Amino acid sequence: MPALEEAIISETQLLLEHTSKINATLKELNDVQIIAMIEKLRQVEKKMSTVFTFFKASMYTNNYEEKEDTNRPII
């Protein structure tokens, strides 16, 4: 019976060590890498908003030109 209890205690300690390693890794990911990823996503978001603005402007210009063409009298 004492051997079984020692085996359970050693496995529990091993599990605790692995859990601590996982916790440390996750903390590093949250503290360092997530912040860097957020900054990169902000840069992408700014670029996308600029592209969308140019796209809307070009669509407005195309639609405006089409409306001018349809208002001309047919000769």
Side-chain angles (χ1 to χ4, degrees):
M1 217 39 160
L4 181 61
E5 291 174 356
E6 289 177 15
I8 291 173
I9 290 173
S10 67
E11 287 297 321
T12 305
Q13 289 173 344
L14 186 62
L15 179 63
L16 179 64
E17 290 174 14
H18 288 299
T19 306
S20 296
K21 287 179 185 177
I22 291 172
N23 190 27
T25 304
L26 289 174
K27 184 174 181 173
E28 178 186 343
L29 286 173
N30 282 332
D31 291 344
V32 178
Q33 294 181 4
I34 295 295
I35 294 171
M37 287 175 56
I38 289 172
E39 290 299 322
K40 288 179 182 178
L41 285 173
R42 284 185 184 146
Q43 292 173 359
V44 169
E45 183 181 17
K46 288 178 185 177
K47 291 177 183 178
M48 288 297 294
S49 66
T50 303
V51 169
F52 183 68
T53 301
F54 287 139
F55 178 74
K56 283 179 63 176
S58 68
M59 291 304 297
Y60 176 78
T61 302
N62 286 342
N63 289 339
Y64 185 74
E65 289 174 359
E66 286 177 8
K67 287 181 182 177
E68 282 183 350
D69 289 341
T70 57
N71 290 335
R72 292 183 183 172
I74 300 174
I75 300 176

